[in-house]
């Protein structure tokens, strides 16, 4: 009944606000929600706020549903957390930054993308392949950078209210004050809650956690064109509480008992960031910037009888100098950066705490003849107290052979310390025994992960039947010299961690075709092929829970904008996933076994937006409208404290259709 009530409210409001017959005015040029640059040296896609409004997009993890470059999957059957992948590799192999400051890393890897509300985002830049050395050495498969709304450009007030049939309710408000022509400040307030329990697949476990999140950010911006100074200061506080598990679990009564299986994940986070820059008045091509970030992340959690607590205190600073050599065809960036991470980490009361720190120097040279050819060559040298001294080279090359076309090549090395527990928290919600087999390394006994990434890309824009179209094909390969293997292919009762003993690689091929079918009706399609294999102790397998074939399709249609801004917007997204290698379950009883590969399936999402004026709009949408649900999503659910319980083998949605409605209101 909830979904019909939401639709009735939306329909009534549409009729009420559409009584006047308004004449059309001049049609303005339509701005694309996703833009692929032909001029940037790196293979970067810009996602604007317009694209983010095409789906519910409650947080950053949910903002990639209409983007073919990023794969979105659920990480487990309980927390509702969405995991992203690029080039077939999970988010730890991505450099995720907020305004070019590392954000989702370490303790926040599992849930950090859900800590940035979608309405705060101005744009997202997605770069395939190894990222710039300016931002660090950890990027392997790519970089995702989020730009937040800027106080000097933001509107005075924004309100977004959202509600869904799975009992999730959300409220976002933005307040912006122009203090002077040089100073402005914004206050972002976000709250969401889910108060009702849902069990749509009737396995006696909650499909999504109940809980709440409170998120507050205060931003200050200063810009003085006369003196060349510009700065940003941000302070953010976030409190997130989740409870999941069996339907009858009561946290006050059943916590850490065998009455009913339950879990709580409570996270509190405080962030402070600053960016101070100066552009030399007599040399506008020369600038210097200083970035600083402090964060305190504290997570207390338990999963049944498994306890996991982690606290991370981090400090990051980056000093960057930009200038030219002789002329603007030859640009360079150089600087120093320092990172400090203190982890207080406890796995079932076992203390695995540590302190990591690193200092590095980088230099990046860019040649651009403003015609057909450009390249960026960068390198950095870092000293890390656990990883030692190492060099990170990166190369990006661009060539425009003819009009509206571009070839790109990239190559680079990445190195990182795997946080094996923080990055694999979904496995705590199982009866698996955690075992680290290697002991000679300096991070949990393991050696650092090292990988090389190589990529080729070609894009061509053209006219088809007098309509705009574009075609892109890219191929990337990641070769691991060492990898922290998370082995769920040995036994259903174990998860093994060890250094790579053989080979591990990831090949990614993507073909995009986009077409303006008729005026205001656009089609976006993509086919992706993944060949990802790793040598485990028991043999060579495809990467578990990774479809080898994927197809993506998106249709969007907008009506003409009328005199007072009235407009309809329609959006439909189709995702088809081929079969996926599943973790070994052959050691389980027959009732708790899964096949070697999952079946293929499709998921469809849609949204309708009605803009009533330049200041007010409403939207209604649905996710998984085909109602596909994974069968046997939780193994051993009838005996969750037994040896066969596992909630982590998730290849498809665990709940059925979900419908939502919301409104947006602005004061300009």
């Amino acid at each position: 009944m909830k979904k019909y009530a939401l639709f009735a409210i939306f329909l009534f409001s549409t009729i009420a606000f559409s009584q006047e017959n308004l004449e059309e005015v001049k049609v303005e040029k339509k701005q694309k929600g996703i833009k692929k640059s032909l001029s940037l040296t790196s293979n970067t896609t810009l996602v604007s706020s317009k694209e983010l409004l095409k789906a519910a997009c409650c947080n950053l993890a949910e903002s990639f549903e209409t983007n073919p470059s990023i794969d979105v999957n659920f990480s487990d059957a309980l927390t509702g957390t969405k995991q992203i992948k690029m080039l077939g590799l999970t988010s730890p192999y991505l450099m995720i930054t907020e305004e070019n400051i590392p954000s989702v890393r370490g303790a926040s890897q599992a849930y950090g993308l859900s800590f940035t509300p979608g309405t705060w985002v101005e744009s997202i830049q997605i770069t395939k392949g190894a990222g710039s050395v300016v931002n660090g050495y950890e990027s392997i498969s790519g970089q995702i950078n989020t730009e937040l709304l800027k106080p000097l450009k933001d509107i005075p007030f924004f309100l977004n209210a959202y509600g869904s049939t799975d009992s999730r309710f959300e409220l976002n408000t933005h307040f912006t004050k122009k203090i002077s022509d040089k100073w402005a400040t914004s206050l972002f307030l976000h709250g969401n809650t889910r108060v009702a329990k849902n069990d749509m697949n009737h396995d006696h476990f909650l499909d999504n956690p109940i809980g709440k999140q409170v998120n507050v950010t205060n931003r200050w911006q200063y810009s003085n064109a006369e003196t060349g100074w510009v700065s940003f200061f941000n302070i953010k506080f976030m409190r997130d509480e989740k409870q999941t598990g069996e339907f009858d679990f009561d946290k006050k009564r059943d916590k850490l008992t065998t009455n009913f299986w339950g879990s709580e994940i409570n996270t509190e986070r405080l962030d402070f960031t600053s960016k101070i820059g100066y552009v030399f008045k007599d040399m506008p091509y020369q600038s210097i910037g200083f970035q600083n970030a402090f964060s305190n992340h504290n997570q207390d959690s338990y999963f049944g009888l498994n306890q996991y607590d982690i606290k991370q205190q981090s400090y990051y600073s980056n000093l960057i100098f930009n200038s030219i050599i002789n002329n603007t065809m030859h640009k360079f960036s150089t600087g120093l950066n320092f990172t400090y991470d203190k982890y207080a980490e406890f796995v079932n009361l076992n203390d695995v705490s540590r302190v990591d720190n690193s200092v590095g120097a980088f230099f990046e040279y860019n040649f651009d003849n403003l015609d057909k050819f450009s390249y960026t060559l960068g390198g950095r040298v870092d000293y890390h107290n656990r990883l030692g001294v190492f060099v990170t080279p990166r190369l990006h090359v661009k060539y425009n052979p003819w009009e509206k076309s571009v070839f790109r090549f990239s190559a680079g090395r990445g190195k990182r310390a795997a946080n094996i527990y923080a990055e694999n928290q979904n496995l705590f919600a199982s009866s698996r025994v955690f075992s680290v087999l290697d002991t000679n390394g300096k991070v949990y006994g393991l050696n650092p992960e090292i990988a090389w990434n190589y990529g080729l890309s070609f894009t061509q824009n053209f006219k088809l039947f007098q309509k705009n179209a574009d075609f892109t094909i890219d191929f990337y390969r990641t070769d691991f010299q060492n990898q922290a293997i998370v082995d769920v292919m040995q036994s259903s009762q174990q998860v093994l961690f060890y250094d790579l003993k053989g080979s591990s690689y990831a090949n990614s091929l993507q073909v995009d075709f986009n077409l303006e079918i008729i005026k205001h009706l656009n089609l976006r399609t993509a086919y992706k092929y993944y060949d990802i294999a790793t040598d485990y102790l028991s043999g060579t397998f495809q990467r578990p829970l990774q479809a080898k074939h994927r197809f993506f399709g998106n249709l969007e249609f907008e009506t003409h904008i009328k005199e007072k801004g009235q407009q309809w917007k329609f959006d439909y997204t189709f995702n088809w996933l081929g079969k996926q290698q599943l973790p070994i379950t052959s050691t389980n009883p027959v009732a708790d076994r899964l096949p070697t590969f999952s079946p293929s399936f499709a998921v469809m999402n849609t949204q309708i937006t009605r803009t009533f004026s330049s200041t007010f709009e409403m939207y209604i949408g649905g996710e998984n409208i085909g109602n596909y649900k994974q069968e046997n999503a939780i193994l051993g659910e009838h005996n969750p404290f037994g040896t066969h319980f596992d909630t982590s083998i998730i290849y498809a949605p665990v709940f059925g259709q979900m419908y939502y409605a919301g409104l947006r209101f602005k004061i300009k």
Side-chain angles (χ1 to χ4, degrees):
M1 290 300 293
K2 291 179 182 177
K3 62 185 178 185
Y4 301 114
L6 288 172
F7 182 78
I9 293 171
F10 178 80
L11 188 61
F12 174 81
S13 300
T14 300
I15 295 171
F17 278 85
S18 301
Q19 295 302 309
E20 286 188 275
N21 293 319
L22 302 175
E23 296 181 359
E24 295 181 4
V25 295
K26 294 180 181 179
V27 178
E28 297 179 356
K29 183 179 179 182
K30 182 185 174 187
Q31 297 295 319
K32 289 184 177 181
I34 295 180
K35 301 176 184 177
K36 295 182 179 179
S37 172
L38 297 180
S39 58
L40 290 177
T41 307
S42 60
N43 186 5
T44 299
T45 300
L46 174 66
V47 182
S48 69
S49 57
K50 180 179 185 294
E51 182 70 20
L52 302 180
L53 299 180
K54 291 170 60 176
C57 190
C58 296
N59 56 56
L60 192 58
E62 299 168 340
S63 64
F64 302 103
E65 301 282 1
T66 62
N67 191 308
S69 298
I70 304 293
D71 299 328
V72 183
N73 302 86
F74 288 98
S75 63
D76 55 69
L78 296 176
T79 64
T81 303
K82 292 187 177 180
Q83 180 187 71
I84 65 170
K85 298 179 182 179
M86 183 190 288
L87 309 184
L89 298 175
T90 53
S91 57
Y93 297 105
L94 288 164
M95 170 70 75
I96 301 177
T97 59
E98 185 174 285
E99 299 184 329
N100 286 309
I101 295 177
S103 57
V104 180
R105 56 185 298 275
S108 63
Q109 275 289 356
Y111 310 111
L113 285 172
S114 67
F115 298 158
T116 301
T119 65
W120 297 6
V121 178
E122 180 183 73
S123 64
I124 302 173
Q125 297 90 45
I126 301 172
T127 301
K128 288 187 175 182
S132 168
V133 294
V134 174
N135 295 312
Y137 53 81
E138 294 181 324
S139 169
I140 291 176
S141 63
Q143 179 174 339
I144 296 176
N145 179 59
T146 303
E147 292 291 329
L148 302 185
L149 296 169
K150 307 297 187 289
L152 282 171
K153 295 182 179 180
D154 201 7
I155 60 177
F157 177 76
F158 173 84
L159 171 69
N160 168 237
Y162 166 95
S164 64
T165 56
D166 67 348
S167 301
R168 175 173 174 148
F169 301 95
E170 181 170 318
L171 188 68
N172 295 282
T173 56
H174 309 168
F175 302 89
T176 300
K177 175 68 174 177
K178 306 292 192 302
I179 298 173
S180 69
D181 59 348
K182 299 179 179 63
W183 277 100
T185 181
S186 293
L187 179 65
F188 297 161
L189 303 176
H190 166 88
N192 72 68
T193 184
R194 183 182 283 110
V195 294
K197 297 181 177 182
N198 293 294
D199 181 19
M200 298 179 68
N201 58 357
H202 308 295
D203 60 5
H204 307 292
F205 279 78
L206 301 184
D207 296 329
N208 281 304
I210 59 174
K212 59 186 177 182
Q213 182 185 119
V214 176
N215 210 328
V216 182
T217 290
N218 184 210
R219 285 169 61 78
W220 290 79
Q221 181 182 3
Y222 173 81
S223 179
N224 191 330
E226 297 176 359
T227 63
W229 287 99
V230 62
S231 60
F232 289 90
F233 302 95
N234 307 315
I235 186 165
K236 175 181 176 182
F237 173 80
M238 191 278 308
R239 172 75 181 178
D240 184 78
E241 299 175 359
K242 299 184 183 74
Q243 177 193 321
T244 188
E246 288 190 89
F247 198 89
D248 295 324
F249 174 78
D250 184 329
K251 64 181 181 181
K252 295 181 180 179
R253 179 192 64 196
D254 304 321
K255 177 180 178 179
L256 297 175
T257 73
T258 57
N259 299 334
F260 294 97
W261 195 98
S263 170
E264 283 187 272
I265 306 168
N266 297 321
T267 306
E268 194 169 275
R269 185 177 176 96
L270 179 67
D271 292 89
F272 173 78
T273 60
S274 68
K275 297 172 68 175
I276 301 174
Y278 176 72
V279 179
F280 292 81
K281 290 187 292 183
D282 299 330
M283 296 175 286
Y285 46 80
Q286 188 166 287
S287 65
I288 189 169
F290 189 39
Q291 302 171 326
N292 286 276
F294 169 80
S295 65
N296 186 79
H297 180 106
N298 191 9
Q299 176 187 323
D300 298 317
S301 54
Y302 62 90
F303 306 81
L305 299 180
N306 286 327
Q307 292 181 258
Y308 180 67
D309 299 326
I310 183 169
K311 182 175 182 179
Q312 179 182 358
Q313 294 176 308
S314 297
Y315 174 70
Y316 168 86
S317 66
N318 198 15
L319 180 65
I320 309 169
F321 177 73
N322 301 289
S323 191
I324 64 172
I325 303 174
N326 294 328
N327 57 60
T328 54
M329 291 175 56
H330 307 273
K331 302 175 184 177
F332 71 90
S333 300
T334 188
L336 303 168
N337 76 276
F338 172 75
T339 303
Y340 172 88
D341 295 295
K342 180 181 180 181
Y343 295 94
E345 189 174 18
F346 296 86
V347 181
N348 288 323
L349 304 182
N350 294 319
D351 189 348
V352 290
S353 302
R354 72 180 196 274
V355 174
D356 291 350
N357 56 69
S358 67
V359 60
F362 58 86
F363 183 87
E364 187 173 77
Y365 167 76
N366 174 256
F367 170 79
D368 188 354
N369 64 7
L370 303 178
D371 184 14
K372 290 187 175 183
F373 180 70
S374 66
Y375 67 89
T376 300
L377 177 63
R380 58 181 297 132
V381 178
D382 289 271
Y383 168 74
H384 191 287
N385 64 321
R386 294 181 183 274
L387 310 186
V389 179
F390 55 96
V391 177
T392 303
R394 304 270 172 85
L395 172 67
H396 294 267
V397 180
K398 176 193 69 85
Y399 177 63
N400 301 93
W402 49 80
E403 187 180 6
K404 296 181 180 180
S405 66
V406 59
F407 278 104
R408 288 187 174 95
F409 168 76
S410 68
R413 183 180 189 262
K415 188 171 184 176
R416 64 182 295 271
N419 291 279
I420 57 174
Y421 299 112
E423 295 166 11
N424 297 281
Q425 292 185 48
N426 60 320
L427 296 173
F428 284 119
S430 70
S431 59
R432 293 179 182 269
V433 177
F434 284 55
S435 299
V436 181
L437 303 187
D438 288 303
T439 59
N440 294 326
K442 293 186 177 181
V443 185
Y444 308 107
L446 304 176
N447 289 312
E449 294 189 298
I450 303 173
W452 285 86
N453 181 280
Y454 316 92
L456 283 169
S457 175
F458 172 71
T459 297
Q460 177 69 61
N461 295 350
F462 56 96
K463 292 283 187 179
L464 183 64
F465 307 119
Q466 303 304 312
K467 300 297 180 182
N468 293 324
D470 64 81
F471 169 82
T472 299
I473 181 170
D474 58 46
F475 175 79
Y476 286 85
R477 178 179 175 88
T478 304
D479 275 312
F480 284 92
Q481 290 183 315
N482 187 54
Q483 189 176 17
I485 302 299
V486 184
D487 191 345
V488 290
M489 308 303 293
Q490 183 79 11
S491 167
S492 311
Q493 284 71 50
Q494 287 181 307
V495 53
L496 306 177
F497 299 97
Y498 51 84
D499 288 325
L500 178 66
K501 308 301 180 187
S503 69
S504 180
Y505 64 86
N507 293 326
S508 169
L509 173 69
Q510 180 169 330
V511 181
D512 293 1
F513 174 71
N514 304 318
L515 173 67
E516 181 188 26
I517 300 174
I518 59 174
K519 197 170 187 178
H520 301 299
L521 177 62
N522 294 282
L523 172 67
R524 186 185 304 155
T525 64
Y527 166 74
K528 289 180 278 190
Y529 170 77
Y530 295 113
D531 174 26
I532 305 174
T534 301
D535 290 340
Y536 296 92
L537 296 180
S538 53
T540 303
F541 294 94
Q542 293 181 28
R543 185 70 52 84
L545 302 174
Q546 173 64 57
K548 204 164 192 175
H549 303 273
R550 294 182 69 123
F551 177 79
F552 167 91
N554 177 263
L555 270 173
E556 64 171 359
F557 176 73
E558 298 180 357
T559 62
H560 294 285
I561 302 175
K562 295 189 177 181
E563 184 179 356
K564 293 186 178 180
Q566 292 182 330
Q567 187 183 33
W568 285 95
K569 300 176 184 178
F570 302 89
D571 193 83
Y572 170 80
T573 302
F574 175 85
N575 275 289
W576 178 85
L577 286 79
K579 64 181 183 178
Q580 303 173 46
Q581 172 81 60
L582 298 181
I584 294 295
T585 56
S586 57
T587 56
N588 283 347
V590 175
D592 292 322
R593 292 180 188 173
L594 295 173
T596 304
F597 289 91
S598 71
S600 59
F601 67 95
V603 174
M604 296 174 286
N605 302 333
T606 188
Q607 181 174 292
I608 302 171
T609 302
R610 173 57 168 164
T611 301
F612 302 108
S613 68
S614 61
T615 60
F616 182 74
E617 66 182 24
M618 296 187 68
Y619 57 92
I620 186 168
E623 295 185 358
N624 191 21
I625 59 177
N627 204 34
Y628 184 85
K629 290 181 284 189
Q630 176 179 333
E631 297 180 3
N632 210 14
I634 298 178
L635 303 183
E637 74 272 15
H638 298 297
N639 183 19
F641 296 98
T643 57
H644 309 121
F645 179 69
D646 198 340
T647 71
S648 67
I649 307 179
I650 298 301
Y651 59 84
V654 299
F655 49 85
Q657 299 166 330
M658 187 276 285
Y659 294 90
Y660 60 86
L663 61 86
R664 303 183 184 101
F665 176 71
K666 308 171 185 176
I667 296 178
K668 295 186 175 181

